[in-house]
Amino acid sequence: MPADESNPQLVWNLAHDVSQVLEYHFMVNALLAGSVVAVMSGVVGWLMVLRGETFAGHTLSMMAFPGASAAALAGIPAVWGYFAFCGAGALALGGFGGRRRTWSEQSAAIGALQAAALAAGFLFVSLYGGVLGDLESLLFGNLLGVSNGQVIVLGAVALAALALLAGLTRPLLFASVDPDVAAARGVPVRALASTFLLILGLAVAATSQITGVLLVFALLVGPPASAQLITAPPGPSLALTIFLGLLVVWLGLGIAYFSVYPAGFYIATISFAVYAFVRLSARVALQRSRRLPPVRSSPSPPPRGVIA
């Protein structure tokens, strides 16, 4: 069956294919919004993975559901529900660290908050009495429908989040790597933890309305986790995180343009594929290093005048 000539055709000529993608304004906006999300999610997600707060980040991303349903029930724009519930969730998670807790206690508290938030979301939908029409966009986003105003707002939020993190870089890194020593040195560990969670929650709220709950979490975890497996120093690891995030977004949007499937599917799949490849490569390299025989240093010659 011949292909429909009205649909874009992939001809495997990079210059021609890129020109096709950039021909339409909605694709330009999608690339701009996706790039902003990739950079902001990369920086925030790198710190999130370093601090071992991936479960907390997942919980904050799920706050978009009760936020959107509560906004629909109140008859206000969904964006206010996103920010209100993500911000409240971040403050609640910060309160869980009020005293020293074990990892199991923190995970249980975070899981309980997530369950309560989802239950509240279903309650709000039931009270609303209708169908939350944007449920699919809430989960998977609609990058191909981003407006000029949304790109500007997203860029402003990203600049604010990155500026706040830049001012907290050194103490936050110190508190993330060794919180006990940082606290002994006078670093406000608890205040930094709450501030970072609030920045994470607001960043998730700003991006979820465009990228969806599942997609923003894929960008928060995939590229940072892959980069930290490849290299440990903060500078190169953070730069690699941003590069991988941009690569995942650009490839996903480019493939989706020539396909009938949504961009979120490709972006999330590519992000997971990159992580799986890096993880497998690291395991193979570790096994090979264990099989190598130990290097034996040749004995040093005896000093002159001494008979061995």
Side-chain angles (χ1 to χ4, degrees), residues 37 41-42 45 48-49 57-58 61 139 211-226 245 248-249 264-272 275:
V37 171
S41 299
M48 182 190 70
V49 173
H58 179 261
S61 67
L139 294 176
T211 62
V213 173
L214 301 180
L215 181 55
V216 68
F217 188 66
L219 292 175
L220 276 171
V221 176
S226 302
V248 165
V249 169
F265 164 75
Y266 290 109
I267 293 176
T269 302
I270 295 173
S271 177
F272 173 75
Y275 173 75

Side-chain angles (χ1 to χ4, degrees), residues 147-270:
S147 65
N148 294 338
Q150 288 177 312
V151 173
I152 295 174
V153 172
L154 186 61
V157 172
L159 287 176
L162 294 178
L164 287 173
L165 288 177
L168 301 174
T169 298
R170 294 189 63 181
L172 188 57
L173 276 177
F174 191 12
S176 302
V177 174
D178 199 335
D180 293 331
V181 176
R185 296 280 185 90
V187 177
V189 176
R190 286 172 49 188
L192 284 173
S194 299
T195 302
F196 173 71
L197 285 173
L198 186 59
I199 295 174
L200 175 61
L202 296 180
V204 168
T207 56
S208 291
Q209 56 184 317
I210 296 175
T211 62
V213 173
L214 301 180
L215 181 55
V216 68
F217 188 66
L219 292 175
L220 276 171
V221 176
S226 302
Q228 291 184 20
L229 283 174
I230 296 174
T231 180
S237 181
L238 188 56
L240 183 59
T241 296
I242 295 174
F243 170 77
L244 291 177
L246 291 172
L247 181 64
V248 165
V249 169
W250 293 344
L251 279 178
L253 285 173
I255 297 173
Y257 179 77
F258 296 100
S259 171
V260 296
Y261 300 106
F265 164 75
Y266 290 109
I267 293 176
T269 302
I270 295 173

Side-chain angles (χ1 to χ4, degrees), residues 71-93:
L73 179 62
I76 60 176
V79 61
W80 297 111
Y82 279 84
F83 280 105
F85 272 77
C86 288
L91 293 176
L93 291 178

